[in-house]
């Protein structure tokens, strides 16, 4: 009657799809590094007749004084015909394209302006200034308002520690308050929403796996508290990569391991690299994984609302384990000669020569660990089967706990399968350790010409590997291969083929590094084929 079948079967699904996704389906985020923004502002100031270099030298107080004065006025620093500088041209042209899109199509196809490596309030206000420069702000009776959300991305361990005070200052700023109020009204929300992105990759590269995951846990809890103090709902955006060292792992375990305060009905997360194909390459897999994510988020939110958010007795213990493991991890990285060992015992130089990333392997081109991006860092350790950032430091921390506080260690053992945040950390370390291979590690380490450097670092790494395995066997009450048979079965299936590939790659690396430039260029393609083959065999890149 009245074409009810057509309405139910054909029209209703279309209406539901449009209601869910709009006419744009996906929203595009705009993301840039804070240092790049700083350079852009300095160049804008110079183009406007000011001494732009001063901006790069000013402390936080001086920067805030300048930015607050500028944001009190709607007039831009420059006009369209001015020559600005490479960073300023890049940012201004990008923001102008976004501004033109908003004017033509509205804001629904656009997400947020995300600032990588956020460390201070000024780095967030800089984006407001750039938005004003490019028409992404509008003037209200109360002052300027940004048309798109500005989102901090806290990545390193230290940045995560300071994140609550940065967010508090940002939410206290008048322009942020005006902008959030306008966005709330535009989106029809009951409460203003401030998105905060948190980084798993750089925090892990910076401090090792326990320090990374636990600092993220503590950080989310504190950031959610800041939001409540300002009557703002914090929506967390989890910047996860494709490997355990960069935040990967079973989605349901991640959700269950989040602090109660961080889940308020929704979350965002990234899917990167090979995980896209693994989870969404066909409709059945995609539907299954999306349902897991939606059901897990809904279920965890409901459970958290009906349970007390009391501190777990092991939280202080986790604080100490994070400190101990980070100290052991950083001691290794800070040891003289480590960079040389890393560059010779892994195929990092081959990875840097490849053209498979969206960004260069290094931020500024310096030959330091700090300058290296997290993806090639994890990728190279994975290729050489060290998986260093996925377990190193854990054994030292657990051994200290068992020696100094044996009763607490027994509590950790008892709570491993009970308290989700603990289990998420321990199970990820156990999987990383199982995927590492001491024999293959040594084969790659043999590429290091200096015997003293090779033996010094391999002694440290092998000792920590044995220590971590021993401690985990105590927690799991038996050998990991027996206690976690599913993980071991998958690894056993791939082991023989991977072993052959690893030794082929080692031989090619040795020859490639010793060849003259012309011959080395010809050898690069087969070498990179082994990188691709090992990555496919392991199921992970960076």
């Amino acid at each position: 009657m009245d074409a009810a079948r057509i309405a139910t079967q054909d029209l209703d699904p279309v209406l539901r799809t449009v209601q869910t996704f709009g006419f744009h389906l996906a929203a595009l985020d705009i993301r840039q590094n804070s240092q790049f923004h700083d350079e852009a502002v300095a160049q804008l100031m110079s183009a406007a007749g000011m001494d732009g270099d001063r901006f790069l030298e000013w402390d936080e107080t001086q920067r805030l004084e300048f930015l607050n004065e500028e944001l009190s006025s709607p007039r831009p620093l420059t006009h369209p015909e001015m020559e600005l500088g490479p960073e300023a041209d890049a940012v201004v042209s990008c923001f102008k394209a976004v501004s033109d899109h908003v004017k033509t199509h509205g804001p629904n196809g656009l997400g947020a302006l995300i600032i990588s490596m956020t460390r201070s309030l000024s780095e967030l206000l800089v984006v407001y200034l750039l938005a004003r420069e490019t028409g992404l702000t509008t003037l209200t009776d109360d002052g300027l308002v940004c048309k798109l959300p500005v989102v901090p991305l806290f990545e390193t361990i230290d940045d995560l520690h300071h994140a609550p005070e940065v967010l508090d200052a940002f939410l206290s700023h008048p322009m942020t308050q005006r902008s959030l109020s306008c966005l709330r009204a535009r989106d029809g929300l009951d409460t203003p929403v401030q998105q905060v992105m948190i980084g798993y990759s750089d925090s892990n590269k910076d401090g090792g796996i326990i320090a990374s995951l636990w600092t993220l846990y503590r950080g989310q809890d504190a950031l959610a508290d800041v939001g409540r103090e300002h009557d703002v709902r914090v929506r967390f955006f989890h910047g996860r990569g494709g490997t355990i060292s960069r935040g990967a792992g079973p989605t349901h375990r991640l959700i269950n391991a989040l602090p109660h305060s961080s889940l308020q009905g929704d979350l965002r997360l990234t899917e990167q690299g090979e995980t896209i194909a693994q989870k969404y390459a066909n409709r059945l897999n995609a539907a299954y994984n999306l349902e897991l994510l939606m059901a897990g988020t809904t279920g965890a939110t409901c459970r958290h609302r009906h349970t007390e958010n009391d501190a777990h007795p092991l939280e202080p213990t986790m604080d100490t384990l994070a400190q101990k493991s980070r100290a052991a991890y950083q001691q290794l990285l800070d040891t003289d000669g480590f960079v040389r060992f890393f560059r010779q015992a892994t195929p990092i130089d081959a990875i840097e020569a490849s053209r498979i990333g969206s960004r260069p392997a290094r931020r500024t081109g310096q030959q330091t660990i700090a300058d290296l991006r997290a993806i090639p860092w994890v990728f190279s350790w994975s290729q050489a089967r060290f998986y260093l950032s996925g377990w190193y430091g854990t054994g030292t921390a657990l051994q200290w706990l068992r020696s100094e506080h044996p009763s607490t260690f027994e509590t950790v053992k008892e709570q491993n399968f009970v308290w989700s945040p603990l289990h998420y950390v321990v199970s990820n370390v156990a999987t990383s350790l199982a995927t590492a291979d001491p024999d293959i590690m040594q084969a790659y380490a043999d590429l290091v010409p200096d015997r003293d450097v090779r033996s010094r670092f391999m002694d440290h790494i092998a000792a920590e590997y044995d220590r971590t395995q021993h401690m985990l066997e105590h927690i799991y009450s038996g050998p990991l291969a027996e206690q976690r048979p599913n993980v071991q079965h998958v690894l056993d299936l791939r082991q023989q083929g991977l072993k052959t590939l690893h030794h082929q790659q080692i031989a090619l690396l040795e020859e490639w590094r010793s060849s003259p430039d012309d011959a080395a260029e010809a050898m690069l393609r087969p070498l990179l084929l082994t990188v691709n083959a090992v990555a496919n065999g392991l199921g992970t890149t960076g």
Side-chain angles (χ1 to χ4, degrees), residues 110 115 127 287 359 361 390 393 493:
L110 295 166
I115 303 94
V127 180
R359 297 172 292 179
L493 287 175

Side-chain angles (χ1 to χ4, degrees), residues 145-164:
V145 167
C146 190
K147 297 178 183 179
L148 292 177
V150 172
V151 173
L153 167 50
F154 301 108
E155 301 187 70
T156 69
I157 299 290
D158 290 340
D159 292 345
L160 285 162
H161 283 312
H162 296 129

Side-chain angles (χ1 to χ4, degrees), residues 198 200 220 236-240 254 258 267-270:
I198 51 175
Y200 288 71
Q220 289 174 76
F236 287 100
F237 184 4
H238 299 264
R240 306 169 76 212
L254 167 75
L258 295 176
L267 57 77
R268 293 188 69 197
L269 52 83
T270 55

Side-chain angles (χ1 to χ4, degrees), residues 117 202 205 362-363 366-373:
M117 291 293 177
D202 281 279
K205 172 174 166 276
R362 296 185 177 275
R363 290 187 169 90
Q366 299 177 30
Q367 295 295 318
T368 63
I369 298 298
D371 194 59
L372 185 69
R373 293 187 187 275

Side-chain angles (χ1 to χ4, degrees), residues 213-288:
L213 293 179
W214 187 245
T215 304
L216 286 162
Y217 181 93
R218 285 293 207 190
Q220 289 174 76
D221 203 21
L223 288 164
D225 286 343
V226 170
R228 278 194 297 275
E229 291 170 4
H230 289 271
D231 294 322
V232 171
R233 180 161 65 87
V234 176
R235 174 182 295 144
F236 287 100
F237 184 4
H238 299 264
R240 306 169 76 212
T243 60
I244 284 174
S245 290
R246 296 186 55 237
T251 302
H252 68 283
R253 286 187 183 171
L254 167 75
I255 293 171
N256 290 332
L258 295 176
H260 287 201
S261 57
S262 71
L263 264 181
Q264 301 182 53
D266 62 1
L267 57 77
R268 293 188 69 197
L269 52 83
T270 55
E271 297 281 21
Q272 299 181 24
E274 62 281 346
T275 59
I276 296 174
Q278 290 167 1
K279 291 184 177 181
Y280 308 107
N282 61 69
R283 181 174 293 184
L284 287 176
N285 274 353
Y288 172 76

